[in-house]
Amino acid sequence: MAEPTTAPVPSDHIMGVYARAPLAFERGEGSRLYTTDGEAYLDCMAGIAVTALGHNHPKLVQAVKDQAEKLWHTSNIFRIPNQEKLAKLLTDNTFADVAFFTNSGAEAIECAIKTARKYHWANGQPERIDIIGFDGSFHGRTIATIFAAGNPSYVEGFGPALPGFVQAKFGDLEGLRALVGPTTAAILLEPVQGEGGARSWTETQLKAIRQLCDETGTLLIYDEIQCGLGRTGKLFAYEWADGAADPDIMAVAKALGGGFPVGACLATAEAARGMTPGSHGSTYGGNPLAMAVGVASVEELVKPELLAHVREVAGYFNQQLSGLKDRFPEVVLDIRGKGLLIGIKLGTPNREFMQIARDQHLLIAGGGDNCVRLLPPLTLSLDEAREAMGLLEKACEVAQAKAAQEKAGAA
């Protein structure tokens, strides 16, 4: 019998789940990151839409310093004043009445799923457990959230599919209607997909889904972890539908803490009626340190002048990227997304293009459907946006020349 093999121990002793770029950063300032070697990079990924106010934002830094000298943790056995302040900030600026605070976006989605199922249980319909999601979605890396999204590459190897999760095709409203039945609890979607290639639902589609939910007693859950908190040019992406597509439950995170781990599940009082004492909880969620940073972050993100700036910079990018698509049609195939969640579908392999961009000292994110994403800080200046476009143009020139060489070699 063959001897069992032993897996090699990685030199850094980090579990090998990340394909990391060979860069290490030691500090950041605004839209710049600086490596341990002192080289500057223009950051147009913002930690995957997290550092929305840029790096080393003075208000967030001060909030951490002030709170760190007072109190870090007490647990939710006691009242936490800044938790109540942040809950009011979020509910005053959204559809919601209540908030539950978490440490991550995945935990916020977990809370949303539990809230939806418990709502129907409280209404005497315990059979309504099914959550309908969509292809191309991404909701986190827990067992429940990977099956809610159903991406084959993320669920492979993690056992049989969890019951109660159903996948619909993105954009297919008739197919969605056919899936809604007596065991449906909620429809879960990202108004603008991030990981799935920056695909956007139209306002008309969101209104139709809201109407379908109203007709069938189904709850509507939005995942605005990536597209929310100013990223699209409104505080939340669902607001573009002018109040006609408000959700019942919504998960937020990423920009909520500006880099500090914090998330939230927001809900109407009706949707949260089943979430009674003991039905859910978190040891760290909503801790004083996270809440101090969250309050400081949201107070900045709700400012009308910041949202207007996002729309202005996004308009510039859209115009310039359209020109880039015309000049490099074999490299840039399509421009997608909304606001400063911008997807560029490529003819060149996206991982290869990300490396080419890094060679130009520009940081961009990957995405599904062979896309790359521009997710800069919302504070990115127009001058920095022009710089980013110049670096993208150079990356396209390199990618086009490389593709031409490969084609010539193949011939």
Side-chain angles (χ1 to χ4, degrees):
M1 190 170 70
E3 288 290 321
T5 59
T6 302
V9 176
S11 60
D12 59 7
H13 297 278
I14 304 294
M15 191 178 288
V17 296
Y18 299 114
R20 300 182 194 270
L23 291 172
F25 297 105
E26 65 176 7
R27 66 184 181 92
E29 191 72 36
S31 301
R32 308 277 172 184
L33 279 170
Y34 297 87
T35 68
T36 51
D37 299 326
E39 294 189 340
Y41 285 74
L42 183 59
D43 184 6
C44 280
M45 61 184 291
I48 314 180
V50 170
T51 52
L53 296 173
H55 300 284
N56 202 25
H57 189 282
K59 185 170 181 179
L60 302 194
V61 171
Q62 194 61 49
V64 172
K65 287 181 176 178
D66 291 345
Q67 188 62 42
E69 294 175 349
K70 295 177 182 177
L71 183 66
W72 290 23
H73 180 76
T74 59
S75 93
N76 285 291
I77 291 171
F78 307 104
R79 289 180 61 186
I80 300 171
N82 265 340
Q83 193 178 110
E84 296 170 18
K85 184 175 182 179
L86 183 54
K88 189 172 191 309
L89 262 174
L90 290 169
T91 56
D92 281 352
N93 285 281
T94 65
F95 71 95
D97 302 308
V98 295
F100 177 86
F101 291 104
T102 67
N103 310 288
S104 66
E107 290 172 76
I109 292 290
E110 289 272 353
C111 180
I113 292 168
K114 290 179 71 174
T115 300
R117 288 180 172 176
K118 199 68 182 295
Y119 166 80
H120 293 292
W121 179 88
N123 279 348
Q125 297 177 298
E127 72 280 3
R128 299 193 71 165
I129 65 163
D130 289 341
I131 309 295
I132 301 177
F134 295 88
D135 66 296
S137 60
F138 180 81
H139 302 299
R141 300 279 191 165
T142 67
I143 287 290
T145 56
I146 61 173
F147 283 106
N151 185 323
S153 65
Y154 293 152
V155 302
E156 183 181 13
F158 294 111
L162 292 186
F165 294 101
V166 180
Q167 263 67 51
K169 185 174 176 55
F170 181 92
D172 181 2
L173 295 185
E174 287 306 309
L176 173 62
R177 181 175 288 275
L179 289 173
V180 176
T183 61
T184 303
I187 294 170
L188 167 62
L189 63 88
E190 301 157 277
V192 186
Q193 287 189 343
E195 185 90 4
R199 298 186 297 182
S200 300
W201 292 91
T202 68
E203 285 80 54
T204 300
Q205 289 172 323
L206 292 179
K207 290 174 184 177
I209 293 171
R210 175 71 268 178
Q211 185 175 352
L212 172 62
C213 288
D214 292 339
E215 291 170 359
T216 58
T218 301
L219 295 182
L220 179 56
I221 305 172
Y222 287 157
D223 176 343
E224 292 228 19
I225 292 165
Q226 185 167 145
C227 65
L229 289 165
R231 178 62 49 186
T232 66
K234 288 186 181 284
L235 189 61
F236 291 100
Y238 76 84
E239 294 181 80
W240 289 98
D242 298 323
D246 290 6
D248 302 293
I249 306 169
M250 182 169 72
V252 298
K254 289 190 180 285
L256 186 59
F260 197 95
V262 57
C265 176
L266 308 178
T268 64
E270 174 63 17
R273 66 183 302 176
M275 300 303 277
T276 53
S279 60
H280 197 44
S282 173
T283 298
Y284 293 108
N287 68 76
L289 195 51
M291 294 298 94
V293 183
V295 167
S297 180
V298 173
E299 284 178 346
E300 293 298 307
L301 292 167
V302 299
K303 290 181 176 178
E305 57 268 32
L306 176 64
L307 299 175
H309 176 74
V310 171
R311 295 192 293 271
E312 181 184 15
V313 175
Y316 170 80
F317 270 125
N318 285 333
Q319 181 186 50
Q320 296 299 309
L321 287 168
S322 178
L324 206 65
K325 179 175 177 286
D326 291 339
R327 292 198 302 278
F328 302 97
E330 294 182 2
V331 177
V332 179
L333 305 182
D334 191 23
I335 307 299
R336 303 171 174 175
K338 203 174 189 73
L340 290 179
L341 198 173
I342 301 169
I344 305 173
K345 182 172 171 60
L346 298 169
T348 299
N350 63 350
R351 294 291 167 185
E352 181 180 297
F353 190 86
M354 290 164 65
Q355 177 60 59
I356 294 170
R358 284 198 298 272
D359 291 342
Q360 310 301 322
H361 284 218
L362 174 68
L363 303 177
I364 55 178
D369 199 23
N370 201 45
C371 284
V372 292
R373 284 172 288 168
L374 299 183
L375 301 164
L378 306 185
T379 52
L380 187 83
S381 70
L382 273 173
D383 282 344
E384 289 169 332
R386 293 186 188 97
E387 181 184 351
M389 284 306 309
L391 297 175
L392 273 175
E393 183 171 8
K394 290 179 181 176
C396 286
E397 289 171 353
V398 172
Q400 181 171 268
K402 185 174 182 180
Q405 288 175 352
E406 290 173 352
K407 187 182 290 186

